[in-house]
Amino acid sequence: MSLVAPVVSAPGARSAEEIAALHRHRVDKAVAWFREAAEGRTPRLCPICGYRGAFSPVRFKTETWCPSCDSRPRHRLLKLWMEREMRLAPGAEVIHFAAEPWVRGWLEDRGAHYRTADINDKFELQLDITAMDLPDASADMIIANHVLEHVDDARALSEMHRVLRPGGQAVITVPMIEGWTETYEAPGLDEPGRRLRYGDPDHLRFYGRDIRDRIRRAGFDLAEFPAVEPDVSTHALQRGERIFTGTKL
Ligand SMILES: [Zn+2]
């Protein structure tokens, strides 16, 4: 049963019955297609846990979830960035908001002093990223993977800049649309509105490519690590998703 009642106004348009039948046909085809694609058509390799095989769907996205270690595309991209680009001196102070479990072992093996942080008390540091109870210039890396879209990002970026030492890095990912010049945010949207416009009721905006200006405005020197082929196919990444790194000069 369709939840949306069809309205037909143009002369010669399909009848309500024809529309309902065609709509049903399209829905059935899409569901069948999704069922097949959701099984995972191509074996992928998880750079975090080494699993090779079918990846599981998440919501509408097929081949997204590593069924061995629960990683999602942004986690796998972070691992590739760490392997290829990250430079951390032994003893470096790393603070990780919304932390995934695998990061600790990997960074501690490389000599980092690693601590998890979040607004709730389930992590080592209970911190509000927009007002961190930490001294100036006291950390070498702050990782905020899909955090900024939940908070006042200007305050969060300014706080990250304050807490980092010169040469320290903010490591940032956000949901964004590269084709948008400007970030979309409509203050005052209710929960259904946020779900519709941002794809998630807990998000406060959907970033456009001006995310770069927001990071630079906080004083950071910006670099990017995008998901490109052949990594996208090999590791089931999201095409064009990117890790932004802001270095405090
Ligand atoms: Zn995995």
Side-chain angles (χ1 to χ4, degrees):
M1 232 5 223
S2 171
L3 295 174
V4 181
V7 177
V8 183
S9 54
R14 289 179 175 131
S15 70
E17 292 73 24
E18 286 173 321
I19 287 171
L22 273 168
H23 181 63
R24 173 53 45 201
H25 173 67
R26 287 279 155 206
V27 168
D28 290 345
K29 275 187 83 160
V31 169
W33 184 91
F34 186 81
R35 270 209 78 81
E36 191 207 322
E39 297 291 344
R41 288 175 166 143
T42 310
R44 314 290 181 144
L45 173 64
C46 179
I48 296 171
C49 71
Y51 165 81
R52 184 187 292 274
F55 276 36
S56 313
V58 176
R59 297 182 188 165
F60 304 119
K61 292 181 188 161
T62 59
E63 299 180 281
T64 296
W65 191 285
C66 171
S68 169
C69 73
D70 297 334
S71 72
R72 277 167 282 167
R74 66 177 185 266
H75 308 138
R76 296 189 286 275
L77 183 64
L78 181 66
K79 179 68 188 302
L80 297 180
W81 174 80
M82 286 180 164
E83 286 176 346
R84 297 175 191 172
E85 303 274 334
M86 190 180 72
R87 302 282 175 270
L88 265 190
E93 292 282 345
V94 179
I95 298 169
H96 191 172
F97 282 86
E100 306 90 46
W102 64 270
V103 179
R104 172 187 300 282
W106 206 81
L107 287 180
E108 286 182 347
D109 285 351
R110 282 149 187 83
H113 179 226
Y114 176 86
R115 285 176 296 172
T116 58
D118 212 316
I119 192 88
N120 64 51
D121 61 4
K122 296 186 187 120
F123 294 82
E124 286 158 293
L125 300 170
Q126 186 172 6
L127 288 178
D128 175 355
I129 197 169
T130 67
M132 289 187 255
D133 186 16
L134 290 175
D136 295 356
S138 57
D140 299 290
M141 179 174 288
I142 299 175
I143 305 171
N145 215 352
H146 280 227
V147 173
L148 289 188
E149 67 274 20
H150 294 265
V151 300
D152 179 334
D153 58 352
R155 284 177 58 192
L157 285 162
S158 158
E159 273 294 89
M160 286 195 271
H161 192 268
R162 178 185 69 77
V163 168
L164 284 165
R165 297 191 175 107
Q169 274 189 322
V171 181
I172 295 163
T173 64
V174 291
M176 68 176 290
I177 304 292
E178 190 66 40
W180 286 359
T181 324
E182 287 184 9
T183 294
Y184 175 72
E185 44 194 332
L189 276 183
D190 60 6
E191 191 175 310
R194 293 195 300 273
R195 190 188 299 280
L196 179 67
R197 305 281 181 88
Y198 308 144
D200 190 310
D202 293 331
H203 292 183
L204 301 180
R205 64 192 73 83
F206 211 125
Y207 286 99
R209 58 180 181 266
D210 61 331
I211 176 71
R212 297 170 176 88
D213 302 330
R214 294 181 184 223
I215 295 170
R216 287 196 187 102
R217 207 176 296 140
F220 289 111
D221 186 45
L222 183 70
E224 301 181 28
F225 183 75
V228 292
E229 292 291 2
D231 292 332
V232 167
S233 298
T234 305
H235 303 297
L237 305 180
Q238 186 179 318
R239 291 183 182 90
E241 186 170 32
R242 52 196 63 226
I243 289 172
F244 294 103
T245 53
T247 302
K248 180 169 173 174
L249 298 174

